Amino acid sequence: MSEGMLSGLKVLDLGGRTGAVCGRFLATLGADVVKLEPPGGEGGRRTPAGEADPTWLANNLGKRSSTADLETAAGQDLARKLAAQADFLIEAHPPGWLTERGLDYAALSALNPRLIHVSITPFGQTGPHAGYEGTELVCSALGGVLSVVGYEDRAPVKEALDACIFHANGAGAAGAMFAHLERARSGLGQQVDVSIQHVAASRMTNGILVQQFDGRLLHRTGVHISYGQARIRTVWTLKDGYCFHALPTGRFGAPANIALSRWLDDEGFDNPMQGVDWPNHDRSAIPAETRNLWEAAMDKFFRSKTKADIATEGRRRGINAVVANEPADILADAHLADRNFLAPFTYEGKAIRFPDRFLSASATPTGTPGPAPEAGAHTAEVLSQWLQPARETA
Amino acid sequence: MASAASGPLGGVKVLDFSWALVGSFTTKALADHGATVIKVESATRLCLSRIEPQVSASKRGAFDDKPWFIHMNTSKLGLRLNMKHPRWREVIEPLIDWADVVVENFSPGTMASLGLDYATLSKRRPDIIMVSGSVYGQSGPLSREWGVDGTGAALSGRLFLTGWPDRPPVMPSAVPYGDVVLPPFMAAAAAAALDYRRRTGKGQHIDASMYEICVQQMAPALVAAQLDGPPKRMGERQADVLYQGVFPTLGEDRWIAISTPDAAGWGALTEAVGGDWPSAEAVAQADDAALDALDRRIADWTRDFDGFALMHQLQAAGVPAGVVADAGDMLERDPQLRARGFVEMLDNPVLGPFEHLAQPYALSRTPARMTTAPGLGQHTREVVCDIAGLPPATFEELQASGLFE
C-alpha cells in the first residue's frame, strides 16, 4: 500500500489562499502538488497583522513549493513550461489576470491539450459579475447562506472560517477528477469553472424550493432551525458549554424522544412531555405554545448537565444530543484517535497535530505526505524533475 | 432511459443504495455528469424526503411530489425493490456484477447485515469500488452512533465557533453543510478510484466521514488552538481578513456584506465613505472595541443606501461587497447566478415544470446534463430486464410475488 490513486500525476498549484484546499486534497491522494509562488512566498502566508496564518499552514500541507515572478516574462515562461508538463493546474486569480500573462486556459491548452485547468473564483469565469471581487463573507452573502444564519435581532452572522471556499475546493476536486476520468478516453483536458457564490447557492436548496412553490422566504432563527413549517430549537446551553439537540419527528425519532423524556423523569425535572404519543409525534404540527413549554423544560434540564454528561450518559441513553466540540475536545477525542485521523507535524519547533486526510481508502494511502513548504524550498528539484526529458524506467 | 455515454462519466455504472442527503448528493453528481445510476429504493424504508411535505404542492401519502427529493435525485434511474422479500438477491446480484461503483450511506453495519458490505461484495467482484458515507466513519468506537447534519457541525467545532462572542453559538447548518460538502469529495474519490482501477485492475472501499471532512474545514482553528490558545467566536470577523462586516441598508431586514482583505480594499472603502479613517496598519492591530467603533461608523453610512445600488457602487470602486441575498433575490435579481444557469427549468411529471438547482461547477468540454428525478419504481422493469438481464417471464413472476412493492 504505497502508490496513491493519483501517484505520478503532476499538479501545478496557482491557487494561492482561496484555491489551496483542492491541491491539498489531491496531494493526499498521491499527486505531486507544486505551488508556484512569488519570490519570497505568497501573501497568504501571513495575516494582515503579520503573523503566520494558520489557514495557510493547514491548507498547504503535503505540497512542494517553487517560486517564479509572474510579473516578468521569464517567470511567465517558466510557468508555461511547468504547465506544459502538468496533468492539472489549479488557480484562483480574477478572470483575465492569467490572460494578461499568457497563462490562461486557451494559451496553456494550446501547449498541453491534456491539461485540466481548475479555476476557483468568487463568481466564475463568465457572466455580468465575473469581474466582481469576492471573499468568503461576500460569496456567502450573495450565495444566500448568510441570510439564514444568526439571531433575528442582529445582523446575519458568518459561518465559522472559510466554509464556502472549502466547499468550492471540494467541487473543484470533483470536477477535476471527472475530467481526469474522461481524459483517459479522449486524451483531452478541459477547464473546470467553479464559482464560490454558486457553490454557496447550491446549499440554499430548501430556500429556493419553498420560494418557488410557496413564495415563502426562510429567515434566520438563531438557536432554532426550520424544518418545513416547524421551528425546532437545536442549540442548548450546558453547565460548561453547548450541545446540539433537535427533537426529531415520527417513528424514527421516537426512541430518542422517549429516552430524553425518561431522563427528565428519572432526575425529577418538570416534564410537560409526559404522555406524548412519540411514534405519531409530528414536529410540523405541534402548536407553538406546546413547543415553548417543552423547550423551557429541556432548557432547564440541559443547563444542569456538563459536556461529559452528554457524551457519556446522554449517549448511553440514546437521546441524540451531541456536544458542541471546541478544538481541544477534538484533539482529545478517542474516536478520532482510534481512526488515526490526527497526525503530528512540527511548526517552528512546536509539535502540533492536524487532520491527516479527507477520507480513507482500503487499497491506497490518503494521508498527508508532508509538511507545508517553505517558499521556494523545492524550486531546483521540481525544475529538474518536471522539466528534464523523462528517463526511461524499467 | 438516461443517456448512455454522454458527459465526462458516460459509461460509468453506479448501483446506488443511498438515502437522505450524503449518498444522494454523491450519486446526483455522478448522474448529472453522465454516469448511469440505479437508485434502489425499498418501500419498507423510504427516504424521509419522499415522505415529509415541505411545500404546499406536496401531499402526505404521495411519494413522487417532493421537490427536495427530486433535487437530490436528478438524472437517476429508479428501481423499487422490497428488501424484506426473500428473493431480492435475484435482482441485486446481477446488478452487482454490472456495477463499477456501489454507493451507500446507511449507518455502518447495515450493509453487512444485508450481506452487501465491501468484504462480501469484493469476494464476488474483486474490482468493485464501494463508496460509503457516514457521520463518524466505518470504524472507531462511535461509528454506529446516530447523526445528522447538525451532528457534524457540533462535532467539528463549526457550531462552537459560529456566532457572537457574547451569546451562545448559532447553527451554521440552517442550510446543510456536512451533508453537502462531503459528497463532492466522495464523488471525486469515486472517479479517482475508477482511474486507479483502470490502470491497476484494483478496486477498493472509500470510507468518508462527515465528522472528519468538517474537521478538515475547521483545520485552521485546530492549528490555531495549538499555536495561540483556544479560538473564540468572532461574529463576522476573521483573523486573516483585514476588515469586514455586515451592515444595514434601506428596507426591512436588508443587509450588505463588505469585506476588505487587505490595505487596497480598505483604502477604497474609506475613500468611498469619505472622511478621516485609521490606516490599514492601524486596523490590522485594532482591538475589538476599536473595530466595533469602525462598524458603527460604516453602518451609519450604509443604512441610507439601497443595498443593490451600494453593492454596484462599491464593486466599481474596487471594494468586495455583496447584498445578503435571500432566495427571492437569487431567483429574480441576480444576473450572475442566472448567467451560470444555477437553476434549470425541467418538467417533472407530477409537479410540472420547476427550477431544479444545477451543479455549481462547469466542465468546459463535457458539461453536466440533468433530467428530473425518477418516480418511485419508475424504471423497475427496464432495470430488471434490460440491465440485470432477467427474462420478462421471471420479471412478471417476481412482480406477482410482491418483490417490486
Side-chain angles (χ1 to χ4, degrees):
Chain A
M1 178 148 154
S2 56
E3 185 174 282
M5 280 185 242
L6 302 179
S7 285
L9 296 167
K10 299 186 183 77
V11 179
L12 186 61
D13 187 347
L14 299 174
R17 181 185 179 286
T18 301
V21 170
C22 187
R24 156 122 176 76
F25 172 55
L26 300 187
T28 64
L29 299 185
D32 176 16
V33 180
V34 172
K35 291 178 71 70
L36 195 59
E37 299 186 73
E42 61 196 16
R45 285 175 173 265
R46 306 227 149 244
T47 64
E51 288 154 5
D53 186 347
T55 301
W56 190 93
L57 274 178
N59 293 344
N60 286 285
L61 294 159
K63 302 179 184 178
R64 299 197 285 174
S65 170
S66 179
T67 50
D69 184 355
L70 298 184
E71 304 302 337
T72 68
Q76 293 162 11
D77 188 51
L78 177 65
R80 273 190 292 274
K81 286 193 171 116
L82 291 169
Q85 301 303 318
D87 299 286
F88 301 91
L89 180 142
I90 301 164
E91 62 94 8
H93 292 287
W97 193 94
L98 289 174
T99 313
E100 289 162 14
R101 289 156 182 80
L103 294 167
D104 58 326
Y105 176 64
L108 298 181
S109 62
L111 297 172
N112 177 6
R114 295 185 67 263
L115 184 68
I116 291 166
H117 181 118
V118 182
S119 298
I120 302 170
T121 57
F123 303 104
Q125 297 298 300
T126 58
H129 297 169
Y132 272 19
E133 293 185 49
T135 61
E136 169 69 25
L137 183 67
V138 168
C139 292
S140 76
L142 283 163
V145 298
L146 182 58
S147 72
V148 289
V149 181
Y151 289 98
E152 287 153 306
D153 65 338
R154 288 194 184 173
V157 70
K158 80 178 283 297
E159 288 173 275
L161 304 186
D162 290 335
C164 302
I165 290 175
F166 182 88
H167 186 192
N169 276 262
M177 291 301 101
F178 296 170
H180 176 50
L181 198 60
E182 195 277 341
R183 176 170 60 186
R185 288 204 309 268
S186 68
L188 296 172
Q190 52 188 318
Q191 185 171 23
V192 178
D193 171 12
V194 185
S195 151
I196 301 166
Q197 178 203 14
H198 189 175
V199 167
S202 75
R203 280 196 287 142
M204 272 291 274
T205 311
N206 204 25
I208 295 289
L209 294 174
V210 300
Q211 170 66 13
Q212 271 193 75
F213 280 89
D214 292 345
R216 179 160 59 88
L217 290 175
L218 300 186
H219 299 283
R220 60 191 185 283
T221 49
V223 295
H224 292 75
I225 191 168
S226 298
Y227 288 109
Q229 299 286 352
R231 194 182 141 97
I232 311 290
R233 178 153 176 195
T234 55
V235 185
W236 303 86
T237 301
L238 305 173
K239 261 186 186 166
D240 57 349
Y242 305 95
C243 75
F244 165 75
H245 176 274
L247 210 59
T249 196
R251 68 187 168 93
F252 289 116
N257 295 346
I258 291 165
L260 178 68
S261 182
R262 188 167 296 155
W263 197 0
L264 264 71
D265 290 341
D266 288 352
E267 301 208 353
F269 281 84
D270 282 343
N271 183 4
M273 297 179 283
Q274 273 172 351
V276 172
D277 174 16
W278 289 114
N280 291 309
H281 165 59
D282 177 356
R283 64 186 171 196
S284 302
I286 54 167
E289 314 87 76
T290 309
R291 202 159 52 227
N292 290 343
L293 262 176
W294 295 5
E295 290 187 355
M298 288 165 65
D299 183 60
K300 199 170 166 198
F301 170 79
F302 277 120
R303 283 180 188 275
S304 77
K305 296 284 167 273
T306 63
K307 294 200 280 187
D309 294 335
I310 298 301
T312 55
E313 182 65 7
R315 190 168 280 142
R316 192 187 68 74
R317 287 174 176 263
I319 67 165
N320 291 1
V322 183
V323 170
N325 280 336
E326 300 183 40
D329 300 319
I330 294 165
L331 292 166
D333 184 14
H335 176 76
L336 293 181
D338 186 81
R339 287 172 59 79
N340 291 314
F341 180 66
L342 298 171
F345 84 108
T346 307
Y347 175 71
E348 289 184 350
K350 199 164 176 181
I352 60 179
R353 288 181 297 149
F354 66 93
D356 188 32
R357 55 177 194 267
F358 290 71
L359 38 74
S360 309
S362 60
T364 52
T366 57
T368 301
E374 296 296 323
H378 309 96
T379 302
E381 68 183 53
V382 167
L383 297 189
S384 97
Q385 287 165 3
W386 280 35
L387 301 184
Q388 295 301 313
R391 281 183 292 275
E392 291 295 318
T393 50
Chain B
M1 202 87 165
S3 57
S6 68
L9 303 182
V12 172
K13 295 172 246 174
V14 181
L15 185 57
D16 179 13
F17 290 98
S18 68
W19 73 330
L21 279 71
V22 159
S24 301
F25 278 126
T26 302
T27 51
K28 170 185 166 64
L30 301 175
D32 288 349
H33 286 94
T36 302
V37 175
I38 298 174
K39 185 176 182 85
V40 183
E41 295 181 86
S42 181
T44 60
R45 199 181 179 182
L46 272 186
C47 186
L48 190 61
S49 66
R50 270 219 192 266
I51 298 169
E52 197 174 37
Q54 301 217 340
V55 299
S56 53
S58 304
K59 302 286 174 267
R60 256 171 223 292
F63 301 125
D64 297 340
D65 62 353
K66 309 295 185 299
W68 191 204
F69 175 89
I70 293 165
H71 166 65
M72 292 191 285
N73 291 287
T74 52
S75 311
K76 303 178 188 177
L77 300 173
L79 167 65
R80 179 174 177 171
L81 194 66
N82 180 355
M83 303 278 283
K84 297 211 161 111
H85 190 284
R87 296 178 69 183
W88 65 267
R89 285 174 204 282
E90 290 178 40
V91 173
I92 289 297
E93 285 179 359
L95 292 177
I96 288 162
D97 294 339
W98 164 86
D100 300 304
V101 181
V102 171
V103 178
E104 62 92 17
N105 65 313
F106 291 121
S107 303
T110 305
M111 289 296 268
S113 70
L114 294 166
L116 293 171
D117 53 318
Y118 177 71
T120 311
L121 294 187
S122 61
K123 279 195 198 94
R124 185 181 181 98
R125 279 284 311 283
D127 66 341
I128 198 97
I129 291 159
M130 183 163 173
V131 182
S132 294
S134 62
V135 174
Y136 289 94
Q138 299 296 309
S139 66
L142 302 182
S143 61
R144 297 193 180 201
E145 289 290 327
W146 169 94
V148 293
D149 190 85
T151 317
L155 291 168
S156 62
R158 283 175 45 74
L159 171 56
F160 184 80
L161 289 174
T162 295
W164 305 97
D166 63 335
R167 284 196 188 174
V170 292
M171 281 310 291
S173 306
V175 290
Y177 189 77
D179 271 336
V180 186
V181 167
L182 190 55
F185 289 98
M186 289 167 66
L194 280 165
D195 190 68
Y196 181 78
R197 184 181 81 169
R198 181 183 64 80
R199 289 181 284 116
T200 64
K202 289 182 199 162
Q204 58 185 319
H205 185 199
I206 308 292
D207 168 11
S209 146
M210 189 202 292
Y211 182 4
E212 292 174 353
I213 207 72
C214 288
V215 173
Q216 268 294 0
Q217 189 247 312
M218 296 300 292
L222 221 57
V223 170
Q226 297 170 83
L227 293 176
D228 310 322
K232 305 252 189 302
R233 284 184 293 285
M234 294 174 70
E236 320 290 9
R237 293 173 191 152
Q238 285 179 276
D240 50 1
V241 173
L242 179 67
Y243 176 79
Q244 65 185 11
V246 177
F247 306 97
T249 58
L250 281 179
E252 193 189 335
D253 199 33
R254 297 309 319 230
W255 306 85
I256 189 168
I258 301 174
S259 175
T260 61
D262 52 29
W266 174 249
L269 171 63
T270 51
E271 195 177 312
V273 181
D276 290 331
W277 292 86
S279 68
E281 293 72 27
V283 174
Q285 305 298 334
D287 61 15
D288 282 344
L291 291 171
D292 290 346
L294 292 179
D295 288 350
R296 285 191 293 273
R297 273 185 76 189
I298 305 270
D300 282 341
W301 178 71
T302 61
R303 69 175 81 249
D304 296 327
F305 287 87
D306 170 75
F308 287 88
L310 183 58
M311 168 175 78
H312 298 310
Q313 179 189 329
L314 286 173
Q315 285 283 357
V319 181
V323 297
V324 178
D326 59 34
D329 298 327
M330 295 163 73
L331 284 164
E332 287 143 35
R333 287 183 286 278
D334 190 323
Q336 182 62 21
L337 284 175
R338 277 287 160 189
R340 284 188 64 87
F342 96 112
V343 286
E344 187 180 342
M345 190 66 83
L346 296 176
D347 195 9
N348 181 273
V350 177
L351 293 173
F354 74 94
E355 307 230 63
H356 293 50
L357 281 89
Q359 294 292 343
Y361 47 102
L363 276 64
S364 59
R365 191 167 48 73
T366 59
R369 284 179 55 194
M370 186 165 57
T371 56
T372 198
L376 181 59
Q378 184 182 333
H379 303 97
T380 299
R381 181 187 254 291
E382 291 162 72
V383 168
V384 173
C385 296
D386 302 345
I387 297 179
L390 271 61
T394 310
F395 174 82
E396 306 295 343
E397 180 202 333
L398 290 170
Q399 186 171 42
S401 78
L403 180 59
F404 308 121
E405 285 166 11

